[in-house]
Amino acid sequence: MERYPFTHDPSQPFLPQVGDWVADVFYDILPEAGFEVRDEQIYMAFQLERAFAEKKTMFAEAGVGTGKTLAYLLYAVCYARYMRKPAIIACADESLIGQLVKPEGDIAKLAEHVGLAIDARLGKSQHQYVCLNKLEDARFRDEESELFDDVYDALPDFVYSHDTLQAFHAYGDRKDYPHLTDEQWNKINWDTFQDCFVCDKRHRCGQTLSRDHYRRSSDLIICSHDFYMEHVWTYEGRKREGQLPLLPDHCAVIFDEGHLLESAAQKALTYKLKHNVFEELITRLLNGEIRESLAVLIDEAILQSEMLFADIVRHCTPIAGSDRLHIRWDEPLLQAVNQFRNVLATIEDELVFEGGLHTLNDYELKIVEEHLEMMQRALSLFQQSDKLITWAMESDNGLTLSIMPRAVKEVLRERVFGAKMPIVFSSATLSVQGSFRYVADSLGIEDYMSFSVASPYDYANQMEAVAPAWASEDHFNEKMIAAVHLLQRTEGRALLLFSSKDELLRFKQEIGRFPECAGLRFLYEGEQEITHLIAAFQHDEPSVLCAVSLWEGLDVPGPSLSNVIVWSLPFPPQDPVFMAKRSASAAPYEEVDLPYMLLRLRQGLGRLIRSRDDHGIVAIFSEELHQKQALRTSIEAVLPQGVELQETLA
């Protein structure tokens, strides 16, 4: 295979040669295969050339239908071959990854029509794989044990063989178990509390074995935002421990739907502490021949941990519309944190002495020391409690305390945007009221290039927009009646977007009251693996898809999606992360809530028209839109050009 898809002249600058070839692709090669020439796509391609040539960060805002994915793929592949390092394509979630790599996706299109063989491999997040230890536990302890027995029986023979591993095939991916609900999957998938270092199955684990495969990619590695951020935050720690980083050295990064990167960064930088995990880990030391003084300290630490978490439980209150719990920190609770830190520090000092005696297993000792160091880093943030965000979450095996630095932009600026390489943010929604400052400021980006190109579609004739006004105080019942009317009008073929799981669950409970919808098939996010759910929706034309997370990433052209219903305006939740952002802002509504909502709303409305032949309705259910003229004006400003907001369903 030739290294480049064009004749390369080493005596001339490389990227202008790529630009000439890209022009041939868009003006000649693709049109010969039936694709239309899109001026917006060609403009974007030549803007991208600047980002790659100058190795800078670029916000590439291109409307639906511009073909932005094809544009960035062409440059990313050529640049990867020139630099002899893969480029990273980081997508916001698994559904976006599915759109990129599916058989009819953009990578397949390039292979078919351009004759460009692309070595693209998936680097999937750890939680997308089965954890063999959790599966073993679920088989014997869970009430749905028979379900997990079936998962166990389908594992490859080599997983539990003691023979030398000669060969393996990929296994354990979430996509392999579409029949499992998200709740069932969470009982057997990897999570942050799994101690992979001491797992005797780690060398036959699906996620571990998959790394060797994607690390060998010569062109592209496709992963999620979460996984890329996890790579960034664990890079130094994994090197210290003698492990390879999660991703190999790479030459460029494309953040698809890049406006969602901040939440992935926050998630990756969050510390999670749990009493039962700490107790299980620290008691390992008691299996060795340790001094009595250390054993007493371990007992004291376990007791203090138990008391601390019990105190946190008493200080927790639920947050409406969120599964996170708000923690009210008072002086006694902060003192309990400091007391626990002091005990941990004393244990760390004792372990230094104990290690010199060589009475403990070196590997076990290292694991405990690493965990204690992580806990100390997390708890030390309480020394400046105004610079951290905390919340708690309940589960069957106890409370999880989450601790996150308030501002992640400093770390992002140093570890991501400080690198001298091309970084491209690609999305149809990166700007708010024509400015990129909202996204740039949230990520700590000071020096960047940007451009915007509009969608080529005729929205005035393809899209109808309606925001019905409610006649009574019973808004929920009126929403149900309006939704049923719209579903009847399009005979299903609809996407309902909810702002929270609670909204979705209530709709699911109430829709059975309406016999008019008895013949429709409703698909609910969480009931199946997300890419299989989307495929079922696309192939069963009259079906209705109800989702919380598909404001981005859903690409279903044709009549299967003729109706988008926004159940409520997608303002950010009242959870600790956004509460902290609001408290740090002089104008929280204008600087936090409204920009977030408008970006998400634009994305949701963008699910409807995916081709020139698409037609349909978007409905926005919102009482405040009719009560606040300024809000209505802001929403009307993000509607596609030529689309006017109607107030009646007729």
Side-chain angles (χ1 to χ4, degrees), residues 313-420:
V313 169
R314 288 190 288 271
H315 284 72
C316 285
T317 54
I319 299 171
S322 174
D323 53 2
R324 294 175 175 177
L325 301 171
H326 174 70
I327 305 172
R328 180 178 53 82
W329 293 97
D330 56 18
E331 193 58 35
L333 190 54
L334 291 173
Q335 288 178 0
V337 170
N338 287 330
Q339 290 173 0
F340 185 46
R341 283 191 62 210
N342 292 336
V343 174
L344 294 182
T346 306
I347 291 176
E348 287 179 307
D349 292 339
E350 291 287 326
L351 287 179
V352 173
F353 182 79
E354 200 75 38
L357 298 177
H358 303 291
T359 57
L360 292 172
N361 178 282
D362 287 342
Y363 191 67
E364 289 274 350
L365 181 59
K366 181 181 178 183
I367 298 306
V368 175
E369 287 177 332
E370 286 285 341
H371 192 80
L372 293 180
E373 182 182 338
M374 180 277 292
M375 293 182 70
Q376 286 284 38
R377 286 198 303 270
L379 296 175
S380 67
L381 295 174
F382 283 95
Q383 290 178 309
Q384 292 180 292
S385 56
D386 60 325
K387 294 187 177 181
L388 60 83
I389 303 169
T390 61
W391 66 89
M393 295 183 69
E394 282 282 10
S395 64
D396 293 338
N397 56 0
L399 191 82
T400 298
L401 171 62
S402 296
I403 305 169
M404 184 185 80
R406 185 178 290 265
V408 299
K409 62 177 68 177
E410 289 83 1
V411 189
L412 283 169
R413 189 182 295 120
E414 175 188 350
R415 301 190 190 181
V416 179
F417 305 114
K420 187 67 175 174

Side-chain angles (χ1 to χ4, degrees), residues 445-482:
I445 303 173
E446 297 171 349
D447 183 20
Y448 62 87
M449 299 185 290
S450 65
F451 68 89
S452 294
V453 290
S455 170
Y457 297 149
D458 182 9
Y459 283 96
N461 292 310
Q462 291 180 259
M463 176 187 285
E464 175 187 343
V466 59
W470 313 127
S472 71
E473 293 298 318
D474 188 2
H475 296 166
F476 181 84
N477 192 56
E478 288 200 72
K479 284 184 179 183
M480 292 296 301
I481 294 171

Side-chain angles (χ1 to χ4, degrees), residues 56-358:
K56 282 196 169 185
T57 296
M58 172 171 278
F59 290 116
E61 184 176 58
V64 177
T66 53
K68 53 184 172 291
T69 307
L70 289 178
Y72 73 59
L73 283 174
L74 294 174
Y75 276 97
V77 171
C78 292
Y79 194 70
R81 295 181 181 181
Y82 179 68
M83 298 296 291
R84 297 184 183 274
K85 300 176 185 177
I88 305 295
I89 311 294
C91 301
D93 54 35
E94 297 300 322
S95 62
L96 276 164
I97 291 174
Q99 298 292 346
L100 197 60
V101 302
K102 63 185 180 180
E104 65 274 22
D106 288 322
I107 291 176
K109 288 177 185 176
L110 289 180
E112 178 183 358
H113 300 299
V114 183
L116 182 62
I118 300 176
D119 182 10
R121 309 190 187 191
L122 295 183
K124 305 202 77 173
S125 297
Q126 294 132 299
H127 66 269
Q128 291 290 319
Y129 287 94
V130 165
C131 171
L132 297 175
N133 284 331
K134 285 180 70 175
L135 174 60
E136 194 79 15
D137 188 62
R139 287 178 60 215
F140 295 106
R141 299 187 186 184
D142 195 85
E143 58 188 16
E144 298 179 286
S145 58
E146 292 184 5
L147 180 69
F148 301 124
D149 279 335
D150 292 340
V151 175
Y152 175 85
D153 292 339
L155 293 174
D157 292 338
F158 66 75
V159 173
Y160 288 98
S161 169
H162 296 290
D163 297 334
T164 303
L165 186 62
Q166 301 295 328
F168 79 97
H169 62 268
Y171 81 94
D173 189 332
R174 173 66 171 109
K175 287 181 64 176
D176 299 334
Y177 312 100
H179 59 289
L180 296 181
T181 66
D182 287 353
E183 184 178 356
Q184 291 165 339
W185 173 250
N186 288 336
K187 294 178 180 179
I188 62 170
N189 72 328
W190 181 90
D191 63 54
T192 54
F193 295 108
Q194 300 311 304
D195 194 352
C196 299
F197 295 128
V198 296
C199 177
D200 59 351
K201 306 177 185 68
R202 64 188 181 277
H203 298 304
R204 297 171 190 268
C205 169
Q207 63 146 310
T208 304
L209 295 174
S210 71
R211 286 186 195 147
D212 183 61
H213 174 69
Y214 71 67
R215 291 181 67 87
R216 296 175 185 270
S217 175
S218 56
D219 291 335
L220 304 175
I221 297 175
I222 301 166
C223 65
S224 66
H225 289 179
D226 287 352
F227 192 60
Y228 188 81
M229 288 296 103
E230 189 71 19
H231 158 74
V232 170
W233 306 140
T234 61
Y235 182 85
E236 294 297 336
R238 293 181 70 87
K239 285 180 65 176
R240 283 199 310 270
E241 295 161 7
Q243 300 183 80
L244 290 172
L246 293 178
L247 291 168
D249 194 17
H250 45 276
C251 66
V253 186
I254 314 290
F255 290 115
D256 203 330
E257 301 299 355
H259 62 289
L260 299 175
L261 183 64
E262 183 189 15
S263 62
Q266 292 170 332
K267 182 178 178 182
L269 198 56
T270 298
Y271 297 102
K272 294 185 177 180
L273 308 184
K274 211 166 188 174
H275 167 70
N276 64 334
V277 173
F278 168 71
E279 182 176 15
E280 181 182 342
L281 195 73
I282 200 74
T283 51
R284 290 180 183 177
L285 299 176
L286 299 176
N287 297 327
E289 296 181 4
I290 62 173
R291 291 167 298 122
E292 183 178 352
S293 58
L294 179 56
V296 170
L297 281 171
I298 290 171
D299 288 339
E300 183 181 348
I302 293 171
L303 179 61
Q304 285 209 18
S305 173
E306 189 173 20
M307 293 170 59
L308 174 61
F309 276 83
D311 281 346
I312 292 173
V313 169
R314 288 190 288 271
H315 284 72
C316 285
T317 54
I319 299 171
S322 174
D323 53 2
R324 294 175 175 177
L325 301 171
H326 174 70
I327 305 172
R328 180 178 53 82
W329 293 97
D330 56 18
E331 193 58 35
L333 190 54
L334 291 173
Q335 288 178 0
V337 170
N338 287 330
Q339 290 173 0
F340 185 46
R341 283 191 62 210
N342 292 336
V343 174
L344 294 182
T346 306
I347 291 176
E348 287 179 307
D349 292 339
E350 291 287 326
L351 287 179
V352 173
F353 182 79
E354 200 75 38
L357 298 177
H358 303 291

Side-chain angles (χ1 to χ4, degrees), residues 515-536:
E516 304 94 316
C517 295
L520 296 178
R521 180 190 180 193
F522 286 86
L523 304 168
Y524 295 96
E525 182 179 355
E527 288 188 342
Q528 297 181 50
E529 190 272 331
I530 193 66
T531 57
H532 282 77
L533 196 70
I534 292 170

